[in-house]
Amino acid sequence: MDRREFLWTGSAALCLPLLSGGPAGALTLQAAGSDDAALNATFERIFQEQVRAFPTFATSLGLDKGELAPLRSRLDTRPIAQARREEAGRTDKFIGWLEAIPEAGLSDTAKLNREVVLWDLKIGNVGPKRFDISNPQSPYQVSQQDGAYFSIPDFLHSAHTIDTAADAEAYLSRLEQFATVLDNETAETRRQAERGFLPPGWSLDLALKQMQALRAPAAEQSSMTDSVASRAAAKNIAGDWRGRAARIVADKVYPALDREIAGVTALRPTTAPGDGIWRVPNGDAIYAAALAEATTTNYTADEIHEIGIQQVAEISADLDKILRSAGLTSGTVGERLTALNERPEQLYPNTDAGRERLIADLNEDVEAMYAKLPQAFATLPKQPLEIRRVPVEIQDGASNGYYRQATLDGSRPAIYFINLKSTGDWPKYSLPALTYHEGVPGHHLQLSIAQLAGDLPMLRRIAFYSAYGEGWALYAEQLAEQLGGYNGIERAGYLQSFLFRAERLVVDTGLNHKRWTREQATDHMVAATGFARPRVQREIERYCASPGQACSYKIGHLAWLRARQKAQAALGSRFDLREFHEILREGAMPLTILERRIDERVKAKLAGGAAERG
């Protein structure tokens, strides 16, 4: 998901006052500053302009109703370069609006909201204005994991709900517009290629393979046709939905997809050699910007590389002890993990039945963790969570797992997707950590709490910062141990997960800064983590297409740990874990602001205790 699109998802009707209350140490209810109302109105103006520019995400959060119902039938069909210029100009306008409201007239809460949104607006314009790309973490228009061919069919099936004939008509409208979007993408890919912005050749090969898989079925049997037809039938919605969708696919979508396949095939021989982002014009500067955006810090690539090396060594030492206690004593940590991965008792059958059993076990892990959450959280998620397989047609390029938020109105649950191309990628001991990361107490809990925090403006509720969110999800994996979430060798699974994220710091910077090859990085990660080579190669390929993003996880995790340890040291016996986690109600924010806010909450609690004693 494009982070700019993520930011601009909200509902003016749901924008509430910016004052917040909560337990001791939280932002406290206070008299509004003289300019708080003006700031509120500006946030709403920003939303009113922006939500209409991103109709797909309005649908993703269930906001395409009432006055905004026309968005349900739309995709953004603007030529991509034009849209990028228009949105960059609009963002500059919004920055001007917010900077015109002086801090002096704002309450502390409003100051925080203004600071976070301004940070996001400014970082979001770096890619479009400085480099003429979507953003530094997504430098390519089409890759094995980027492009409308990849995202729109998945969106239409999993986010565009069908409950009425009007919903099905809206689906068909979007399906027809998908052809225009594909043609726009083909044109922009050609323009970017002329500038030297094409992904590595193997990435284009994977993208072409996936395009061809989407194109292969007869129009009547296309996944895009079957999605509307089967769901309409399930709701007893009368109409020739399969026939109408098939005609759109055959007459509009497939010809546009053919043009894109031909265009990418023609460009394939022109792509520059190499794998990392260094291979494109201004590649080093783009990577520095990607790291700044992904980690919300000022760490250099070399500093992150060294942090990774140190973390890999420390986590490997902890894993060595666990593996020895399980009787795995021969070979390196990576070799012993590889041996553990291959034990028959750790493997699900690589069949449909095996995949169903795997997902059923994940659901059991989620339910068990829900029962433990009150030990550590005063605020709990209310939105339901489903676990689904990544769609087969995009599994070659998709990440191993990802999360999609629920709609605000509850019409669609949150979804945690897992890539089941091969069940061999998922030995049983490794799965609880993934579930705690994507589900609870990870992404689902954190994003759900922020999403329903009525004392936050909507722009803050739905903002996502990878270092904050992915760092929290890793912290959640560790918290799950404290809550009794792992049995026996499963603890090696969560430490392997940590080792994996630490190794990401090494290989992402290796690929994109130190000019490692894809093969070199794959060898390095397999040796360090013991993960199956096909899974590792997909990961390495991801870091080439999305430079910097993988560094956000461990950098964010270290920030959350550092903040908690500092709070515990300062508060001593007065530290309350449930109260510490109420910081989630303040919404996502850059790490530097997060650590400052936790310091402020601690000082407020200490000051309150001193006043009580006085």
Side-chain angles (χ1 to χ4, degrees):
M1 178 185 302
D2 189 301
R3 67 177 305 282
R4 291 165 58 82
E5 185 172 339
F6 196 106
L7 172 65
W8 298 125
T9 304
S11 168
L14 295 173
C15 285
L16 299 175
L18 301 179
L19 307 178
S20 65
L27 283 174
T28 54
L29 191 64
Q30 56 190 255
S34 59
D35 288 326
D36 279 18
L39 186 67
N40 270 305
T42 301
F43 283 143
E44 183 166 344
R45 287 177 67 196
I46 291 172
F47 163 77
Q48 291 290 355
E49 284 205 28
Q50 280 292 72
V51 72
R52 288 163 177 79
F54 300 108
T56 55
F57 210 58
T59 294
S60 294
L61 287 186
L63 301 174
D64 52 356
K65 297 175 175 65
E67 179 189 349
L68 300 180
L71 295 175
R72 191 163 183 76
S73 300
R74 287 176 44 200
L75 299 177
D76 185 355
T77 57
R78 293 175 292 176
I80 293 170
Q82 172 191 329
R84 186 174 295 133
R85 288 192 303 271
E86 290 176 356
E87 295 311 317
R90 201 192 314 265
T91 299
D92 280 339
K93 178 176 68 174
F94 296 154
I95 291 170
W97 287 355
L98 292 174
E99 289 185 335
I101 301 173
E103 281 195 0
L106 298 174
S107 65
D108 289 344
T109 307
K111 288 178 183 176
L112 175 64
N113 290 327
R114 177 183 180 273
E115 178 184 13
V116 172
V117 174
L118 272 173
W119 186 96
D120 206 280
L121 289 167
K122 290 177 179 179
I123 202 82
N125 248 359
V126 169
K129 294 191 67 177
R130 187 176 173 191
F131 304 114
D132 188 18
I133 56 178
S134 175
N135 69 63
Q137 295 179 75
S138 299
Y140 305 120
Q141 191 62 45
V142 169
S143 74
Q144 83 278 10
Q145 62 180 41
D146 297 294
Y149 84 91
F150 185 97
S151 61
I152 295 298
D154 183 32
F155 161 80
L156 287 173
H157 181 67
S158 60
H160 184 111
T161 55
I162 295 179
D163 295 311
T164 67
D167 294 336
E169 292 287 356
Y171 180 104
L172 295 182
S173 175
R174 280 176 156 166
L175 186 61
E176 187 163 358
Q177 293 170 61
F178 180 36
T180 301
V181 173
L182 287 171
D183 282 336
N184 287 343
E185 183 167 84
T186 301
E188 180 65 9
T189 301
R190 187 179 302 112
R191 187 181 78 87
Q192 293 287 3
E194 292 171 355
R195 303 177 58 234
F197 282 81
L198 274 178
W202 53 261
S203 174
L204 292 173
D205 292 339
L206 287 171
L208 285 166
K209 179 181 177 182
Q210 293 178 151
M211 290 178 193
Q212 289 157 354
L214 182 64
R215 175 65 176 83
E220 292 78 8
Q221 302 305 317
S222 164
S223 60
M224 295 173 283
T225 298
D226 189 66
S227 178
V228 63
S230 61
R231 289 188 290 152
K235 293 295 176 73
N236 296 313
I237 302 171
D240 182 21
W241 306 110
R242 183 173 297 276
R244 293 174 63 191
R247 286 190 289 275
I248 293 171
V249 169
D251 297 343
K252 302 284 187 177
V253 176
Y254 276 180
L257 194 55
D258 287 339
R259 289 189 289 272
E260 182 163 41
I261 290 170
V264 173
T265 300
L267 292 171
R268 167 66 173 85
T270 71
T271 193
D275 299 307
I277 193 61
W278 56 266
R279 55 191 286 283
V280 306
N282 296 315
D284 290 340
I286 290 173
Y287 188 54
L291 289 176
E293 181 179 77
T295 69
T296 67
T297 71
N298 294 318
Y299 286 129
T300 66
D302 286 325
E303 289 170 335
I304 290 173
H305 192 82
E306 288 305 313
I307 291 171
I309 290 173
Q310 293 168 11
Q311 285 286 303
V312 166
E314 292 174 11
I315 298 166
S316 295
D318 290 339
L319 267 167
D320 176 63
K321 297 173 186 175
I322 293 174
L323 293 172
R324 287 183 181 280
S325 68
L328 291 161
T329 60
S330 178
T332 66
V333 166
E335 289 168 345
R336 281 177 277 164
L337 287 169
T338 297
L340 179 60
N341 292 345
E342 295 171 353
R343 286 185 172 182
E345 71 272 13
Q346 290 294 335
L347 299 177
Y348 292 91
N350 197 34
T351 63
D352 288 343
R355 291 177 176 89
E356 289 176 7
R357 181 68 255 170
L358 188 155
I359 289 178
D361 288 348
L362 295 181
N363 277 300
E364 290 178 9
D365 287 339
V366 168
E367 290 303 313
M369 181 52 66
Y370 262 108
K372 301 175 187 294
L373 292 180
Q375 300 175 45
F377 296 93
T379 303
L380 299 175
K382 297 180 175 62
Q383 299 91 323
L385 174 67
E386 287 187 6
I387 303 175
R388 299 184 188 175
R389 179 182 182 181
V390 169
V392 173
E393 59 266 24
I394 63 171
Q395 65 185 8
D396 286 347
S399 60
N400 288 313
Y402 56 94
Y403 172 87
R404 175 170 287 149
Q405 281 184 290
T407 55
L408 288 170
D409 65 356
S411 61
R412 180 184 51 73
I415 305 169
Y416 142 34
F417 288 93
I418 181 169
N419 194 328
L420 295 182
K421 180 178 180 180
S422 170
T423 58
D425 292 341
W426 299 111
K428 294 177 182 178
Y429 77 94
S430 70
L431 285 170
L434 178 73
T435 292
Y436 304 145
H437 183 106
E438 301 291 349
V440 291
H443 285 317
H444 183 59
L445 181 143
Q446 178 254 310
L447 289 165
S448 297
I449 288 174
Q451 190 182 62
L452 296 183
D455 47 5
L456 286 177
M458 188 56 68
L459 294 182
R460 294 277 334 278
R461 287 195 226 174
I462 49 75
F464 184 81
Y465 305 92
S466 190
Y468 177 101
E470 299 297 355
W472 169 266
L474 272 192
Y475 168 81
E477 293 181 41
Q478 187 167 357
L479 179 65
E481 182 187 28
Q482 183 178 342
L483 298 177
Y486 301 103
N487 295 314
I489 199 64
E490 289 175 352
R491 187 169 180 269
Y494 108 77
L495 284 177
Q496 186 185 34
S497 170
F498 279 16
L499 179 62
F500 172 46
R501 272 47 178 253
E503 173 69 2
R504 279 176 162 178
L505 302 181
V506 179
V507 295
D508 193 291
T509 52
L511 282 162
N512 293 297
H513 176 63
K514 296 182 178 295
R515 304 193 175 195
W516 291 6
T517 65
R518 178 178 58 146
E519 291 72 23
Q520 182 181 0
T522 301
D523 290 343
H524 198 283
M525 180 171 269
V526 168
T529 66
F531 281 146
R533 190 175 188 87
R535 176 183 175 183
V536 168
Q537 183 163 310
R538 283 200 303 274
E539 285 291 329
I540 296 301
E541 290 166 351
R542 170 185 168 188
Y543 313 151
C544 297
S546 298
Q549 192 272 341
C551 296
S552 62
Y553 294 69
K554 203 67 177 68
I555 295 297
H557 174 232
L558 292 172
W560 277 105
L561 281 184
R562 186 165 57 243
R564 174 172 161 175
Q565 290 164 357
K566 188 176 180 182
Q568 286 179 291
L571 293 170
S573 62
R574 298 181 62 199
F575 177 80
D576 185 312
L577 185 61
R578 286 160 51 93
E579 185 177 307
F580 174 78
H581 290 152
E582 286 291 277
I583 186 68
L584 293 176
R585 295 179 59 198
E586 294 190 15
M589 59 190 80
L591 294 180
T592 50
I593 300 176
L594 170 68
E595 295 193 69
R596 189 192 77 212
R597 273 298 304 134
I598 291 175
D599 286 345
E600 290 168 354
R601 290 165 67 94
V602 169
K603 289 177 183 177
K605 179 154 186 158
L606 290 172
E612 290 173 8
R613 290 191 299 274

